[in-house]
Amino acid sequence: MITRERGGLLRSRDFRLLWTGETTSVLGSSIAVVALPLVAVVTLQASTFAVGLLTAAAWLPWLLIGLPAGAWVDRRPKRPIMLVCNTLSMVVFLSVPVAAWLGLLTMTQLLVVALAGGVAKVFFNVAYRAYLPSLVDKDDLQEANEKLQGSESAAQIGGPGLAGLLAQGFGAVTGVLADAVSFGISVLCLRSIRHREPARPPATRSRLRDEIRDGLEFVLHDRFLRVFAVFGAVSNVALMGHQSIEVVFLARDLGVGPGAVGLVLALAGAGGVFGAALSGKLAAQVGTARAFVLCEAFGALMMLLGPLAQGGWGLVFFVAAGFALSAGVVGSNVLNATFKQRYVPAAMFGRVTASMSVLSFGAIALGGLLGGVLGETAGVRQTLWLMAGLEVVAVFALLFTPIGRCRDFPADRG
């Protein structure tokens, strides 16, 4: 395990490799978040509903396989799982530019690619979150999460801008190619990590469904984890319902070109770096639980500015809303992740993470689908208002839960 060294975690070769690989992969994925809808809208002339369905397909695997994935990951070393997942992602996303260059690309293939990439993401995310506490010391988890979330946010700033530039200069499918390359780089970094996870003590293996039930009961009977799961689900419906139609709103409703779409989304995402950098300082001043609520409240209230956007200088409203929302969400994610990595026993971490993620990430699929349906029927701008209002209501309700009533998250379950 990596322990604190002079100069912090950046002096650790293994952490630098994990950090570099994950940041590169997130950069590629943030390019693809814009590139895939652009391919659907610009290349295939897809409808608003089809674009929402594309977003939903990427997150649907959490609902289908999230629970067994968590139990399965808990039984095995995490790094090999991460390697296989990123290799699979590289292959499936590479198929998009290849099919496009051969003139064979269809909306069906985009949906299959999004679904297959989503399956790989389920296993990778569960393994990745369980792997970090074995790689760094418990006291360094806050620093590790701040660095990972901060660099991931920086990658998410550059990703949309790069997607727009690539689409403008070389075609939208080039952005998907960049995503495939980023997964390849991540695989190389993971393979180079020297740290090996400690062997699990021998134990009688129970049935998979019993282990799944253990994870669900752990979350259900814990007052903090239960709130995180429900709040995450409602919030993710709102956030993904909003995100799934952002490109449609900017490109069709406001008439923004592909390059400018990427720039606007990059500027909006810049708030994530701000949120990651300040989350620890805010927690030290007001407490970890209060800092979490403040981050969420700031992002939710500012989200109401987004639907006010117009063409030209009116885009400032959209950028301001996105910047604040990114800052709030990333800041709260750092605090949330650090709390769970300290609070949940290592042997249960995969199952607990998967149990919570099935609800919260599965809601992303619902949000993407809902955004597409409402955008098609009620109007895109009206849907942005609805999603912003839902996020405000979710944060307000958080004030009446155990999270809203305490200053700091507990350090352990005792």
Side-chain angles (χ1 to χ4, degrees), residues 45-53 241 244-245 248 252-253 368-384:
Q45 303 299 311
S47 66
T48 302
F49 172 74
V51 175
L53 189 61
S244 67
I245 57 173
V248 177
R252 287 186 179 164
D253 288 44
L369 186 60
L370 187 62
V373 171
L374 291 177
E376 191 79 40
T377 56
V380 174
R381 192 185 298 272
Q382 290 79 1
T383 302
L384 295 180

Side-chain angles (χ1 to χ4, degrees), residues 83-342:
L83 283 166
V84 170
C85 290
N86 276 355
T87 301
L88 174 63
S89 296
M90 177 181 65
V91 172
V92 296
F93 282 103
L94 186 60
S95 73
V96 173
V98 171
W101 295 331
L102 294 174
L104 302 174
L105 185 63
T106 64
M107 193 64 203
T108 299
Q109 181 179 347
L110 284 186
L111 290 170
V112 170
V113 166
L115 188 64
V119 170
K121 190 171 185 177
V122 168
F123 285 95
F124 181 90
N125 277 10
V126 174
Y128 169 68
R129 295 180 188 280
Y131 181 65
L132 185 62
S134 76
L135 187 69
V136 304
D137 186 75
K138 190 174 184 178
D139 292 337
D140 292 327
L141 282 172
Q142 178 75 31
E143 180 188 352
N145 282 309
E146 286 177 7
K147 284 182 165 57
L148 287 163
Q149 290 279 354
S151 62
E152 287 172 13
S153 296
Q156 288 166 351
I157 295 169
L162 283 173
L165 291 174
L166 289 170
Q168 195 81 44
F170 306 101
V173 294
T174 311
V176 185
L177 174 62
D179 190 24
V181 171
S182 75
F183 280 116
I185 294 172
S186 179
V187 168
L188 292 176
C189 289
L190 286 170
R191 285 183 61 86
S192 301
I193 292 177
R194 294 171 183 163
H195 168 77
R196 295 296 179 266
E197 300 160 68
R200 290 187 61 186
T204 303
R205 178 167 294 185
S206 57
R207 291 180 297 179
L208 193 65
R209 67 180 183 183
D210 292 335
E211 295 185 9
I212 292 172
R213 187 186 64 242
D214 290 344
L216 287 170
E217 289 179 348
F218 192 98
V219 173
L220 184 63
H221 295 153
D222 187 279
R223 62 194 185 115
F224 290 98
L225 298 178
R226 185 171 61 242
V227 170
F228 271 123
V230 175
F231 170 74
V234 178
S235 178
N236 282 343
V237 168
L239 295 176
M240 192 51 61
H242 186 282
Q243 182 180 317
S244 67
I245 57 173
E246 283 180 341
V247 172
V248 177
F249 178 61
L250 293 170
R252 287 186 179 164
D253 288 44
L254 304 186
V256 180
V261 167
L263 178 60
V264 167
L265 294 178
L267 292 173
V273 177
F274 179 79
L278 293 186
S279 60
K281 297 180 179 63
L282 181 62
Q285 292 292 321
V286 303
T288 52
R290 289 178 183 172
F292 175 84
V293 174
L294 285 174
C295 286
E296 290 286 351
F298 175 65
L301 292 172
M302 291 295 289
M303 191 177 173
L304 293 168
L305 293 177
L308 297 174
Q310 300 291 338
W313 286 105
L315 288 172
V316 169
F317 287 104
F318 189 90
V319 172
F323 185 95
L325 183 61
S326 296
V329 168
V330 171
S332 65
N333 281 347
V334 169
L335 297 166
N336 183 359
T338 302
F339 161 65
K340 286 188 290 188
Q341 287 163 351
R342 290 173 174 168

Side-chain angles (χ1 to χ4, degrees), residues 2 8 21 28 30 34 56 59 61 113 122 155 184 240 261 266 284 340 343 345 351 362 367:
I2 297 169
S30 64
V34 177
W59 295 96
V113 166
V122 168
M240 192 51 61
V261 167
K340 286 188 290 188
Y343 184 76
R351 280 167 285 173

